[in-house]
Coordinates of all heavy atoms in Angstrom, one line a residue:
M1 N -3.6 145.1 58.7 CA -2.8 144.1 58.0 C -3.2 144.1 56.6 O -4.4 144.0 56.3 CB -2.9 142.8 58.7 CG -1.9 141.7 58.2 SD -2.1 140.2 59.1 CE -1.6 140.6 60.7
H2 N -2.3 144.2 55.6 CA -2.5 144.2 54.2 C -2.7 142.7 53.7 O -1.8 141.9 53.9 CB -1.4 144.9 53.5 CG -1.8 145.4 52.1 ND1 -2.6 146.6 52.0 CD2 -1.6 145.0 50.9 CE1 -2.8 146.8 50.7 NE2 -2.2 145.8 50.1
V3 N -3.8 142.5 53.0 CA -4.0 141.1 52.6 C -4.6 141.1 51.2 O -5.1 142.2 50.7 CB -5.0 140.3 53.5 CG1 -4.5 140.1 54.9 CG2 -6.3 141.0 53.6
R4 N -4.5 140.0 50.5 CA -5.3 139.7 49.3 C -6.3 138.6 49.5 O -5.8 137.5 50.0 CB -4.3 139.3 48.1 CG -5.0 139.0 46.8 CD -4.1 138.8 45.6 NE -3.2 137.7 45.8 CZ -3.4 136.5 45.6 NH1 -4.6 136.0 45.1 NH2 -2.5 135.5 45.8
I5 N -7.5 138.8 49.3 CA -8.5 137.8 49.5 C -8.6 136.8 48.3 O -8.7 137.2 47.2 CB -9.9 138.5 49.7 CG1 -9.9 139.4 50.8 CG2 -11.0 137.4 49.9 CD1 -9.6 138.9 52.2
K6 N -8.4 135.5 48.7 CA -8.4 134.4 47.7 C -9.9 133.9 47.5 O -10.2 133.5 46.5 CB -7.5 133.3 48.1 CG -6.1 133.6 48.1 CD -5.1 132.6 48.5 CE -5.6 131.3 49.0 NZ -4.5 130.3 49.3
K7 N -10.6 133.8 48.6 CA -12.0 133.4 48.6 C -12.8 134.4 49.5 O -12.3 134.9 50.4 CB -12.1 132.0 49.3 CG -11.4 130.8 48.7 CD -11.7 129.5 49.2 CE -10.9 129.3 50.5 NZ -11.1 128.0 51.1
A8 N -14.0 134.6 49.1 CA -14.8 135.6 49.8 C -14.8 135.4 51.3 O -14.8 134.2 51.8 CB -16.3 135.6 49.3
F9 N -14.6 136.4 52.1 CA -14.4 136.2 53.6 C -15.4 137.2 54.3 O -15.3 138.4 54.1 CB -13.0 136.5 53.9 CG -12.7 136.5 55.4 CD1 -12.7 135.3 56.1 CD2 -12.5 137.7 56.2 CE1 -12.4 135.1 57.5 CE2 -12.3 137.5 57.6 CZ -12.2 136.3 58.1
G10 N -16.2 136.6 55.1 CA -17.1 137.5 55.9 C -16.8 137.6 57.3 O -16.2 136.7 58.0
F11 N -17.0 138.8 57.9 CA -16.7 139.0 59.3 C -17.6 140.2 59.8 O -18.2 140.8 59.0 CB -15.2 139.4 59.5 CG -14.7 140.6 58.8 CD1 -14.8 141.8 59.6 CD2 -14.4 140.6 57.5 CE1 -14.3 143.0 58.9 CE2 -14.0 141.8 56.9 CZ -13.9 142.9 57.6
T12 N -17.7 140.3 61.1 CA -18.4 141.4 61.7 C -17.4 142.4 62.2 O -16.6 142.1 63.0 CB -19.3 140.8 62.9 OG1 -20.1 139.8 62.3 CG2 -20.2 141.9 63.4
N13 N -17.6 143.7 61.8 CA -16.7 144.7 62.2 C -17.1 145.2 63.7 O -17.9 144.7 64.3 CB -16.7 145.9 61.2 CG -17.9 146.7 61.2 OD1 -18.8 146.6 62.0 ND2 -18.1 147.5 60.2
D14 N -16.3 146.2 64.1 CA -16.4 146.7 65.5 C -17.8 147.3 65.7 O -18.2 147.4 67.0 CB -15.3 147.6 65.9 CG -13.9 147.0 65.7 OD1 -13.8 145.8 65.9 OD2 -13.0 147.7 65.6
R15 N -18.4 147.7 64.7 CA -19.8 148.4 64.9 C -20.9 147.4 64.8 O -22.0 147.7 64.8 CB -19.8 149.5 63.9 CG -18.9 150.6 64.1 CD -19.2 151.8 63.1 NE -19.0 151.4 61.7 CZ -18.0 151.7 61.0 NH1 -17.3 152.6 61.3 NH2 -18.0 151.2 59.8
G16 N -20.6 146.0 64.7 CA -21.6 145.0 64.5 C -22.1 144.8 63.1 O -23.0 144.1 62.9
E17 N -21.5 145.5 62.1 CA -21.9 145.4 60.8 C -21.3 144.1 60.2 O -20.1 143.8 60.3 CB -21.6 146.6 59.9 CG -22.0 147.9 60.4 CD -21.5 149.1 59.8 OE1 -20.2 149.1 59.6 OE2 -22.1 150.0 59.7
K18 N -22.1 143.4 59.3 CA -21.5 142.2 58.6 C -20.8 142.7 57.4 O -21.4 143.4 56.6 CB -22.6 141.2 58.3 CG -23.1 140.6 59.6 CD -24.1 139.5 59.3 CE -24.6 138.9 60.6 NZ -24.7 137.6 60.7
I19 N -19.6 142.3 57.2 CA -18.8 142.7 56.0 C -18.4 141.5 55.3 O -18.0 140.5 55.9 CB -17.5 143.5 56.5 CG1 -17.9 144.7 57.4 CG2 -16.7 143.9 55.3 CD1 -18.7 145.8 56.8
T20 N -18.4 141.5 54.0 CA -17.8 140.5 53.1 C -16.7 141.1 52.2 O -17.1 142.0 51.4 CB -18.9 139.8 52.3 OG1 -19.9 139.2 53.1 CG2 -18.3 138.7 51.4
A21 N -15.5 140.6 52.3 CA -14.5 141.0 51.5 C -14.4 140.0 50.3 O -14.3 138.8 50.5 CB -13.1 140.9 52.1
P22 N -14.7 140.5 49.0 CA -14.9 139.6 47.9 C -13.6 139.0 47.4 O -12.5 139.5 47.7 CB -15.5 140.5 46.9 CG -15.0 141.9 47.2 CD -14.9 141.9 48.7
R23 N -13.6 137.9 46.7 CA -12.4 137.3 46.1 C -11.8 138.3 45.2 O -12.4 139.1 44.5 CB -12.8 136.1 45.3 CG -11.7 135.4 44.6 CD -12.2 134.2 43.8 NE -12.9 134.5 42.7 CZ -12.4 134.8 41.5 NH1 -11.1 134.7 41.3 NH2 -13.2 135.1 40.5
G24 N -10.4 138.4 45.4 CA -9.6 139.3 44.5 C -9.4 140.7 45.2 O -8.6 141.5 44.8
W25 N -10.1 141.0 46.3 CA -10.0 142.3 46.9 C -8.6 142.4 47.6 O -8.2 141.4 48.2 CB -11.1 142.4 48.1 CG -11.1 143.8 48.8 CD1 -11.6 144.9 48.4 CD2 -10.5 144.0 50.0 NE1 -11.4 145.9 49.3 CE2 -10.7 145.3 50.3 CE3 -9.8 143.2 50.9 CZ2 -10.2 145.9 51.5 CZ3 -9.3 143.8 52.1 CH2 -9.5 145.1 52.4
I26 N -8.0 143.6 47.5 CA -6.7 143.7 48.1 C -6.8 145.0 49.0 O -7.3 146.0 48.5 CB -5.6 144.0 47.0 CG1 -5.5 142.7 46.1 CG2 -4.3 144.3 47.7 CD1 -4.7 142.9 44.9
G27 N -6.4 144.9 50.2 CA -6.4 146.0 51.1 C -6.1 145.7 52.5 O -5.6 144.6 52.8
D28 N -6.3 146.6 53.4 CA -6.1 146.4 54.9 C -7.4 146.0 55.6 O -8.4 146.6 55.4 CB -5.6 147.8 55.4 CG -4.3 148.2 54.9 OD1 -3.4 147.3 54.9 OD2 -4.1 149.4 54.5
L29 N -7.1 145.0 56.4 CA -8.2 144.5 57.3 C -7.7 144.7 58.7 O -6.5 144.6 58.9 CB -8.5 143.0 57.1 CG -9.3 142.6 55.9 CD1 -9.4 141.0 55.9 CD2 -10.7 143.2 55.9
P30 N -8.5 144.9 59.7 CA -8.1 144.8 61.1 C -7.3 143.5 61.3 O -7.6 142.5 60.8 CB -9.4 144.9 61.9 CG -10.4 145.5 61.0 CD -10.0 145.0 59.6
D31 N -6.2 143.6 62.1 CA -5.4 142.5 62.4 C -6.1 141.2 62.7 O -5.8 140.2 62.2 CB -4.3 142.8 63.5 CG -3.3 143.8 63.0 OD1 -3.3 144.1 61.8 OD2 -2.5 144.2 63.8
Q32 N -7.0 141.3 63.6 CA -7.8 140.1 64.1 C -8.4 139.4 63.0 O -8.4 138.2 62.8 CB -8.7 140.3 65.2 CG -9.9 141.2 64.9 CD -10.8 141.4 66.0 OE1 -10.5 141.3 67.2 NE2 -12.0 142.0 65.8
H33 N -9.1 140.2 62.1 CA -9.8 139.6 61.0 C -8.9 139.1 59.9 O -9.1 138.1 59.2 CB -10.8 140.6 60.4 CG -11.9 141.0 61.4 ND1 -12.7 140.2 62.1 CD2 -12.1 142.3 61.9 CE1 -13.5 140.9 62.8 NE2 -13.1 142.1 62.8
A34 N -7.9 139.9 59.7 CA -6.9 139.4 58.7 C -6.2 138.2 59.0 O -6.1 137.2 58.2 CB -5.7 140.6 58.5
K35 N -5.8 138.0 60.3 CA -5.3 136.7 60.8 C -6.2 135.6 60.6 O -5.8 134.5 60.2 CB -4.8 136.9 62.3 CG -3.6 137.7 62.5 CD -3.3 137.9 63.9 CE -2.1 138.9 64.1 NZ -1.7 139.2 65.5
A36 N -7.6 135.8 60.9 CA -8.5 134.8 60.8 C -8.7 134.4 59.3 O -8.8 133.2 59.0 CB -9.9 135.2 61.4
A37 N -8.7 135.4 58.5 CA -8.8 135.1 57.0 C -7.6 134.3 56.5 O -7.8 133.4 55.7 CB -8.9 136.4 56.2
I38 N -6.4 134.6 56.9 CA -5.3 133.9 56.5 C -5.2 132.5 57.0 O -5.0 131.6 56.3 CB -4.0 134.7 56.9 CG1 -3.9 136.0 56.2 CG2 -2.7 133.8 56.7 CD1 -2.8 137.0 56.7
E39 N -5.5 132.4 58.3 CA -5.6 131.1 58.9 C -6.6 130.1 58.3 O -6.3 128.9 58.2 CB -5.8 131.1 60.4 CG -4.6 131.7 61.1 CD -4.8 132.0 62.7 OE1 -5.9 131.7 63.1 OE2 -4.0 132.6 63.3
S40 N -7.7 130.7 57.8 CA -8.7 129.9 57.3 C -8.5 129.6 55.8 O -9.3 128.9 55.2 CB -10.1 130.4 57.4 OG -10.2 131.7 56.7
G41 N -7.5 130.2 55.2 CA -7.2 130.0 53.8 C -7.9 130.9 52.8 O -7.9 130.7 51.6
H42 N -8.6 131.9 53.4 CA -9.4 132.8 52.6 C -8.6 134.0 52.1 O -8.9 134.7 51.2 CB -10.5 133.5 53.4 CG -11.6 132.5 53.6 ND1 -11.6 131.5 54.6 CD2 -12.8 132.3 52.9 CE1 -12.8 130.7 54.5 NE2 -13.4 131.3 53.5
A43 N -7.3 134.2 52.7 CA -6.5 135.3 52.2 C -5.0 135.0 52.4 O -4.6 134.0 53.1 CB -6.8 136.5 53.2
V44 N -4.2 135.8 51.7 CA -2.7 135.7 51.9 C -2.2 137.1 52.3 O -2.8 138.1 52.0 CB -2.0 135.2 50.6 CG1 -2.3 133.8 50.3 CG2 -2.3 136.2 49.5
L45 N -1.2 137.0 53.1 CA -0.5 138.2 53.6 C 0.0 138.9 52.5 O 0.7 138.2 51.6 CB 0.4 137.9 54.7 CG 1.2 139.1 55.4 CD1 0.2 140.0 56.0 CD2 2.1 138.6 56.4
G46 N 0.1 140.2 52.4 CA 0.6 140.9 51.2 C 1.3 142.2 51.6 O 0.8 142.9 52.4
N47 N 2.4 142.5 51.0 CA 3.1 143.8 51.1 C 2.3 144.7 50.2 O 1.9 144.3 49.1 CB 4.5 143.6 50.7 CG 5.2 144.9 50.6 OD1 4.7 145.9 50.2 ND2 6.5 144.9 51.0
P48 N 2.0 145.8 50.6 CA 1.2 146.8 49.7 C 1.8 147.0 48.4 O 1.2 147.3 47.4 CB 1.0 148.0 50.5 CG 1.3 147.7 51.9 CD 2.2 146.5 51.9
Q49 N 3.2 146.9 48.3 CA 3.9 147.1 47.0 C 3.9 145.8 46.2 O 3.8 145.9 45.0 CB 5.3 147.5 47.3 CG 5.4 148.7 48.3 CD 4.5 149.9 47.8 OE1 4.6 150.3 46.6 NE2 3.9 150.6 48.7
V50 N 4.2 144.7 46.8 CA 4.3 143.4 46.0 C 3.5 142.3 46.7 O 3.8 141.9 47.9 CB 5.8 143.0 46.0 CG1 6.0 141.7 45.1 CG2 6.6 144.1 45.4
L51 N 2.5 141.8 46.1 CA 1.6 140.8 46.6 C 2.1 139.4 46.1 O 2.6 139.3 45.0 CB 0.2 141.0 46.3 CG -0.4 142.2 47.0 CD1 -1.7 142.5 46.5 CD2 -0.5 141.9 48.6
P52 N 2.0 138.3 46.8 CA 2.2 137.0 46.4 C 1.3 136.6 45.2 O 0.2 137.1 45.2 CB 2.0 136.0 47.6 CG 1.3 136.8 48.5 CD 1.5 138.3 48.2
E53 N 1.7 135.8 44.4 CA 0.9 135.5 43.2 C -0.2 134.5 43.4 O -1.3 134.6 42.8 CB 1.8 134.9 42.1 CG 2.8 135.9 41.5 CD 3.5 135.4 40.3 OE1 3.0 134.5 39.7 OE2 4.6 136.0 40.1
G54 N -0.2 133.6 44.4 CA -1.2 132.7 44.7 C -1.4 131.7 43.5 O -0.5 131.3 42.9
E55 N -2.7 131.4 43.2 CA -3.0 130.5 42.2 C -2.7 131.1 40.8 O -3.1 132.2 40.5 CB -4.5 130.1 42.1 CG -5.0 129.4 43.4 CD -6.4 129.2 43.4 OE1 -6.9 128.8 42.3 OE2 -7.1 129.4 44.4
P56 N -2.0 130.3 39.9 CA -1.6 130.9 38.6 C -2.9 131.1 37.8 O -3.7 130.3 37.7 CB -0.8 129.8 38.0 CG -0.6 128.7 38.9 CD -1.5 129.0 40.1
G57 N -3.0 132.3 37.3 CA -4.2 132.7 36.4 C -5.4 133.0 37.1 O -6.3 133.6 36.5
A58 N -5.6 132.7 38.3 CA -6.8 132.9 39.0 C -7.2 134.4 39.1 O -8.3 134.8 38.9 CB -6.8 132.3 40.3
A59 N -6.2 135.2 39.4 CA -6.4 136.6 39.6 C -6.5 137.4 38.3 O -7.2 138.4 38.2 CB -5.2 137.3 40.4
E60 N -6.1 136.8 37.2 CA -6.1 137.5 35.9 C -7.4 137.2 35.2 O -7.7 137.8 34.1 CB -5.0 137.1 35.1 CG -3.6 137.5 35.6 CD -2.7 136.2 35.9 OE1 -2.9 135.2 35.2 OE2 -2.0 136.3 36.8
D61 N -8.2 136.3 35.6 CA -9.5 136.0 34.9 C -10.6 136.2 35.7 O -10.6 136.4 37.0 CB -9.5 134.6 34.2 CG -9.4 133.5 35.3 OD1 -10.0 133.6 36.3 OD2 -8.7 132.5 35.1
D62 N -11.9 136.2 35.1 CA -13.1 136.3 35.9 C -14.0 135.0 35.7 O -15.1 135.1 35.7 CB -13.9 137.6 35.3 CG -14.2 137.5 33.8 OD1 -13.7 136.6 33.2 OD2 -15.0 138.3 33.4
L63 N -13.3 133.9 35.5 CA -14.0 132.7 35.2 C -14.9 132.3 36.4 O -16.0 131.8 36.1 CB -13.0 131.6 35.0 CG -12.1 131.7 33.8 CD1 -11.1 130.5 33.6 CD2 -13.0 131.8 32.5
G64 N -14.6 132.6 37.6 CA -15.4 132.3 38.7 C -16.7 133.1 38.8 O -17.6 132.7 39.4
D65 N -16.7 134.2 38.1 CA -17.9 135.0 38.0 C -18.9 134.6 37.0 O -20.1 135.0 37.0 CB -17.5 136.5 37.8 CG -16.7 137.0 38.8 OD1 -16.8 136.5 40.1 OD2 -15.9 138.0 38.6
K66 N -18.5 133.7 36.1 CA -19.4 133.3 35.0 C -20.2 132.0 35.4 O -19.8 131.3 36.3 CB -18.5 132.9 33.8 CG -17.7 134.1 33.2 CD -17.0 133.7 32.0 CE -16.1 134.7 31.4 NZ -16.8 136.0 31.0
T67 N -21.3 131.8 34.7 CA -22.1 130.7 34.9 C -21.5 129.5 34.2 O -20.6 129.7 33.4 CB -23.5 130.9 34.3 OG1 -23.5 131.0 32.9 CG2 -24.2 132.1 34.9
R68 N -21.9 128.3 34.6 CA -21.4 127.1 33.9 C -21.7 127.2 32.4 O -20.9 126.8 31.6 CB -22.0 125.8 34.5 CG -21.4 124.7 33.8 CD -21.7 123.3 34.5 NE -21.1 122.2 33.8 CZ -20.9 121.0 34.2 NH1 -21.3 120.7 35.5 NH2 -20.4 120.1 33.5
A69 N -22.9 127.6 32.0 CA -23.2 127.7 30.6 C -22.3 128.6 29.9 O -21.7 128.4 28.8 CB -24.6 128.1 30.5
E70 N -21.9 129.8 30.5 CA -21.0 130.8 29.9 C -19.6 130.1 29.8 O -18.9 130.3 28.8 CB -20.9 132.1 30.8 CG -22.2 132.8 30.7 CD -22.2 134.0 31.7 OE1 -21.7 133.9 32.9 OE2 -22.7 135.0 31.3
L71 N -19.2 129.4 30.8 CA -17.9 128.8 30.8 C -17.8 127.6 29.6 O -16.8 127.6 29.0 CB -17.6 128.1 32.2 CG -17.3 129.1 33.3 CD1 -17.5 128.3 34.6 CD2 -16.1 129.8 33.1
E72 N -18.9 126.9 29.5 CA -18.9 125.9 28.5 C -18.9 126.5 27.1 O -18.2 126.0 26.2 CB -20.1 125.0 28.7 CG -20.0 124.0 29.9 CD -21.3 123.3 30.1 OE1 -22.3 123.6 29.6 OE2 -21.2 122.3 31.0
A73 N -19.5 127.7 26.9 CA -19.5 128.3 25.7 C -18.1 128.9 25.3 O -17.6 128.7 24.3 CB -20.5 129.5 25.6
L74 N -17.5 129.4 26.4 CA -16.1 129.9 26.3 C -15.1 128.7 26.0 O -14.2 128.8 25.1 CB -15.6 130.5 27.6 CG -14.2 131.2 27.6 CD1 -14.1 132.3 26.5 CD2 -13.9 131.8 29.0
A75 N -15.3 127.6 26.6 CA -14.4 126.4 26.3 C -14.7 126.0 24.8 O -13.7 125.6 24.1 CB -14.8 125.2 27.3
K76 N -15.9 126.0 24.4 CA -16.1 125.6 23.0 C -15.4 126.5 22.1 O -14.7 126.2 21.1 CB -17.6 125.6 22.7 CG -18.0 125.1 21.3 CD -19.5 125.0 21.1 CE -19.8 124.5 19.7 NZ -21.3 124.4 19.5
E77 N -15.5 127.8 22.4 CA -14.9 128.9 21.6 C -13.4 128.7 21.5 O -12.7 129.0 20.5 CB -15.2 130.2 22.2 CG -14.7 131.5 21.5 CD -15.1 132.7 22.2 OE1 -16.4 132.9 22.5 OE2 -14.3 133.5 22.7
R78 N -12.8 128.3 22.7 CA -11.3 128.1 22.8 C -10.9 126.7 22.3 O -9.7 126.4 22.4 CB -10.9 128.3 24.2 CG -11.1 129.8 24.6 CD -10.5 129.9 26.1 NE -10.7 131.3 26.6 CZ -10.3 131.6 27.8 NH1 -9.8 130.8 28.6 NH2 -10.6 132.9 28.1
G79 N -11.8 125.8 22.0 CA -11.4 124.5 21.7 C -11.0 123.6 22.8 O -10.2 122.6 22.6
V80 N -11.6 123.9 24.0 CA -11.2 123.1 25.2 C -12.3 122.1 25.4 O -13.5 122.4 25.5 CB -11.0 124.0 26.4 CG1 -10.7 123.2 27.7 CG2 -9.9 125.1 26.2
D81 N -11.8 120.7 25.6 CA -12.8 119.8 25.8 C -13.2 119.7 27.3 O -12.3 119.5 28.1 CB -12.2 118.3 25.4 CG -13.1 117.2 25.7 OD1 -14.3 117.4 25.8 OD2 -12.6 116.0 25.7
V82 N -14.4 119.9 27.6 CA -14.9 119.9 29.0 C -15.9 118.8 29.2 O -16.7 118.8 30.1 CB -15.4 121.3 29.4 CG1 -14.3 122.3 29.5 CG2 -16.6 121.7 28.6
S83 N -16.1 117.8 28.3 CA -17.0 116.8 28.3 C -16.9 116.0 29.7 O -18.0 115.4 30.1 CB -17.0 116.0 27.2 OG -15.7 115.3 27.0
A84 N -15.7 115.9 30.2 CA -15.6 115.1 31.4 C -15.8 115.9 32.7 O -15.8 115.3 33.8 CB -14.2 114.5 31.5
A85 N -16.0 117.2 32.5 CA -16.2 118.1 33.7 C -17.5 117.7 34.4 O -18.6 117.6 33.8 CB -16.2 119.5 33.3
K86 N -17.4 117.5 35.7 CA -18.6 117.1 36.5 C -19.3 118.4 37.2 O -20.4 118.3 37.6 CB -18.2 116.2 37.6 CG -17.7 114.8 37.1 CD -17.3 114.0 38.2 CE -16.8 112.6 37.7 NZ -16.2 111.8 38.7
N87 N -18.5 119.5 37.3 CA -19.1 120.7 37.9 C -18.4 122.0 37.4 O -17.5 121.8 36.6 CB -19.0 120.6 39.4 CG -17.5 120.4 39.9 OD1 -16.6 120.9 39.4 ND2 -17.4 119.4 40.9
K88 N -18.9 123.1 37.8 CA -18.3 124.3 37.3 C -16.8 124.5 37.6 O -16.0 124.9 36.8 CB -19.1 125.5 38.0 CG -18.6 126.9 37.6 CD -19.4 127.9 38.4 CE -18.8 129.3 38.2 NZ -19.6 130.3 38.8
A89 N -16.4 124.0 38.7 CA -15.0 124.0 39.1 C -14.1 123.2 38.1 O -13.0 123.7 37.8 CB -14.7 123.5 40.5
D90 N -14.6 122.1 37.7 CA -13.9 121.3 36.7 C -13.7 122.0 35.4 O -12.7 121.9 34.7 CB -14.6 119.9 36.5 CG -14.6 119.0 37.7 OD1 -13.7 119.2 38.6 OD2 -15.3 118.1 37.8
V91 N -14.9 122.7 35.0 CA -14.8 123.5 33.7 C -13.8 124.6 33.8 O -12.9 124.8 32.9 CB -16.1 124.0 33.3 CG1 -16.1 124.9 32.1 CG2 -17.2 122.9 33.2
I92 N -13.8 125.3 35.0 CA -12.7 126.4 35.2 C -11.4 125.8 35.2 O -10.4 126.3 34.5 CB -13.0 127.0 36.5 CG1 -14.3 127.9 36.4 CG2 -11.8 128.0 36.9 CD1 -14.8 128.5 37.7
A93 N -11.1 124.7 35.9 CA -9.8 124.1 35.8 C -9.3 123.7 34.5 O -8.2 124.0 34.1 CB -9.8 122.8 36.8
A94 N -10.2 123.2 33.6 CA -9.9 122.8 32.2 C -9.5 124.1 31.4 O -8.6 124.0 30.6 CB -11.0 122.1 31.6
L95 N -10.3 125.2 31.7 CA -10.0 126.3 30.9 C -8.7 127.0 31.3 O -7.9 127.5 30.5 CB -11.1 127.4 31.1 CG -12.4 127.1 30.4 CD1 -13.5 128.0 30.9 CD2 -12.2 127.4 28.8
R96 N -8.3 126.9 32.6 CA -7.1 127.5 33.0 C -5.9 126.6 32.7 O -4.8 127.1 32.5 CB -7.2 127.6 34.6 CG -8.1 128.8 35.0 CD -8.0 129.1 36.5 NE -8.9 130.2 36.8 CZ -9.4 130.4 38.1 NH1 -9.3 129.5 38.9 NH2 -10.2 131.4 38.2
A97 N -6.2 125.3 32.5 CA -5.1 124.4 32.1 C -4.7 124.5 30.7 O -3.6 124.2 30.3 CB -5.4 123.0 32.5
A98 N -5.7 125.0 29.9 CA -5.6 125.0 28.4 C -4.5 126.2 28.1 O -4.4 127.1 28.7 CB -6.8 125.1 27.7

């Protein structure tokens, strides 16, 4: 089943190996694992030709890969006020909203 991973998703394959599909990965997973990823909110079903957009801007940036300090520096560079941000997710939300 073709999916786009929204949040890292871990599963054990048929050979007993632990696999983690990272956020942003697009490809085919065995049906049972794809269904579990979709039901848990870790993935969305996708046509190999046209995938759903999901969260606006999330797929186009690498903000989730940056440290909070890097995000705060980026916010300062862009003139985005993040003084009320309580955590990294708040800083990311402020940057994406700007």
Side-chain angles (χ1 to χ4, degrees):
M1 187 178 297
H2 202 79
V3 296
R4 179 173 56 87
I5 301 296
K6 296 181 352 179
K7 298 188 278 189
F9 178 72
F11 63 95
T12 303
N13 69 12
D14 296 337
R15 294 184 298 247
E17 302 166 323
K18 292 187 183 223
I19 306 291
T20 299
R23 181 178 67 87
W25 182 83
I26 299 170
D28 292 313
L29 285 179
D31 287 352
Q32 67 182 14
H33 300 302
K35 288 176 185 175
I38 291 168
E39 289 172 5
S40 67
H42 286 84
V44 292
L45 183 59
N47 175 321
Q49 307 303 318
V50 181
L51 290 170
E53 291 189 22
E55 298 177 41
E60 295 118 30
D61 64 40
D62 61 349
L63 297 179
D65 298 335
K66 297 185 182 302
T67 66
R68 181 169 178 164
E70 291 171 324
L71 293 167
E72 289 174 347
L74 183 61
K76 183 176 181 180
E77 181 180 302
R78 293 183 183 178
V80 177
D81 179 21
V82 293
S83 60
K86 294 180 181 174
N87 53 44
K88 179 178 169 179
D90 291 344
V91 177
I92 291 173
L95 284 165
R96 287 185 179 153

